[in-house]
Amino acid sequence: MHINCKGKLIDLSTPKVMGILNVTPDSFFDGGKYKDESQLLNQAEIMLSQGATFIDVGAYSSKPNAEFVTEDEELQRAVPVVELLLKHFPEAIISVDTFRAKVAAACIESGASVINDIAAGLLDDDMIATVGKYKVPYVMMHMRGTPQTMTTLTHYEDIVGEMLKYFAERINTARAHGIDDVIIDPGFGFAKTLEQNYEVMNKMELFSTITGLPLLSGISRKSMIYKLLGTTPQEALNGTTVLNTISLVKGAKILRVHDVNEAMETVTIFNATGLMY
């Protein structure tokens, strides 16, 4: 189970950690935290030194009811950060969290190695073809609607069954455009109620066993934790670790997190048990 990141083969037979680096003013946990180059570089250095395999750069907040960001603004936020990171950390593997083909192309041209798309190509008709052109790994997430509308689109007859059909169609489209490395993200918090998030977590192993593809779990400090516990994102690290552990037991190969050190400890302990789904 390997993915090819511009010639670097990443072995996903053992779980890896993806560190989140948001360059947005309004992300739910770290919005506006990294305002200049020194802060960005310091955070990236911390995450890489703690063991992150990937740094995921996000320039468009996808939290529920997030403010719309134009394509030009997203480009102006994302591309310079990709270039900055690779200038200082040339061996880093940079992922870009975007659903726009032009942003994806510009960031890949600037050195990014992975595209992480919350919409699996459904919000930009050119996205799948663009990723296929550049031959980079593609994280496809399950979502309905947009960040502005997804909270109204949570009715399912069989949420896991419908998600599996969604991924089957998206995977076929990706393969038709020559995308070799596809990673599945169930999309916790996206067009799902609190109860639905936990139903998906309970059955998460189905996404990897049925598709045969590696699984990414992105639950870091999300509302499925702090709303359940009656706390805040700032108090959700312990809950994140619990759900990351469950994710690994359920077959996740990548943990996408704000807190790399704690996730790496989780992976180390998980590996020591010898557990494998």
Side-chain angles (χ1 to χ4, degrees):
M1 188 174 282
H2 292 77
I3 58 173
N4 188 337
C5 300
K6 289 190 169 180
K8 297 178 183 177
L9 288 181
I10 305 301
D11 180 6
L12 296 182
S13 61
T14 57
K16 301 296 186 286
V17 172
M18 175 182 283
I20 299 167
L21 189 62
N22 284 321
V23 290
T24 53
D26 57 341
S27 291
F28 77 94
F29 174 65
D30 55 358
K33 190 173 182 179
Y34 311 114
K35 297 178 180 178
D36 58 38
E37 290 187 359
S38 63
Q39 291 173 321
L40 287 164
L41 290 171
N42 181 63
Q43 180 62 10
E45 184 175 24
I46 289 170
M47 292 193 291
L48 291 168
S49 68
Q50 291 176 341
T53 298
F54 311 93
I55 301 294
D56 193 43
V57 174
Y60 184 125
S61 174
S62 55
K63 68 180 182 180
N65 302 308
E67 181 180 345
F68 178 81
V69 174
T70 67
E71 187 174 81
D72 285 345
E73 185 172 358
E74 188 181 357
L75 282 164
Q76 290 167 14
R77 289 176 180 177
V79 173
V81 172
V82 172
E83 293 173 344
L84 175 72
L85 294 177
L86 289 171
K87 177 181 177 182
H88 289 267
F89 309 108
E91 297 304 310
I93 299 174
I94 305 300
S95 167
V96 175
D97 182 357
T98 184
F99 57 81
R100 289 170 167 150
K102 286 185 179 179
V103 177
C107 289
I108 296 167
E109 293 280 0
S110 296
S113 301
V114 180
I115 296 299
N116 179 14
D117 180 2
I118 62 170
L122 292 175
L123 290 180
D124 188 329
D125 292 340
D126 295 327
M127 176 61 96
I128 300 287
T130 297
V131 176
K133 171 186 173 182
Y134 287 100
K135 300 293 183 184
V136 297
Y138 186 50
V139 181
M140 56 168 60
M141 194 187 80
H142 174 268
M143 183 178 72
R144 285 176 166 180
T146 69
Q148 293 75 29
T149 65
M150 63 185 179
T151 58
T152 67
L153 301 171
T154 58
H155 176 74
Y156 302 86
E157 296 297 329
D158 171 11
I159 186 169
V160 172
E162 290 173 49
M163 288 173 66
L164 287 167
K165 290 178 183 178
Y166 167 101
F167 281 124
E169 189 275 329
R170 294 286 83 204
I171 293 164
N172 286 339
T173 301
R175 297 299 193 214
H177 285 84
I179 301 177
D180 296 322
D181 295 324
V182 176
I183 299 155
I184 298 296
D185 178 353
F188 292 106
F190 288 79
K192 299 169 186 70
T193 65
L194 182 67
E195 294 76 15
Q196 287 167 345
N197 282 313
Y198 282 98
E199 181 180 353
V200 172
M201 176 66 72
N202 182 42
K203 300 174 181 177
M204 190 168 67
E205 70 278 3
L206 294 176
F207 298 107
S208 58
T209 57
I210 290 176
T211 67
L213 296 174
L215 188 64
L216 180 150
S217 182
I219 47 79
S220 183
R221 296 182 179 268
K222 284 187 173 178
S223 63
M224 65 183 288
I225 300 167
Y226 64 82
K227 286 185 177 179
L228 181 69
L229 301 177
T231 57
T232 66
Q234 287 69 31
E235 300 168 286
L237 178 55
N238 184 58
T240 297
T241 298
V242 172
L243 289 185
N244 277 338
T245 304
I246 294 171
S247 296
L248 293 174
V249 173
K250 292 284 188 176
K253 297 302 182 184
I254 301 174
L255 301 178
R256 182 180 180 272
V257 300
H258 298 91
D259 308 279
V260 169
N261 188 61
E262 288 79 0
M264 288 297 301
E265 289 180 350
T266 303
V267 169
T268 299
I269 292 170
F270 173 79
N271 288 340
T273 69
L275 285 169
M276 291 184 65
Y277 189 81

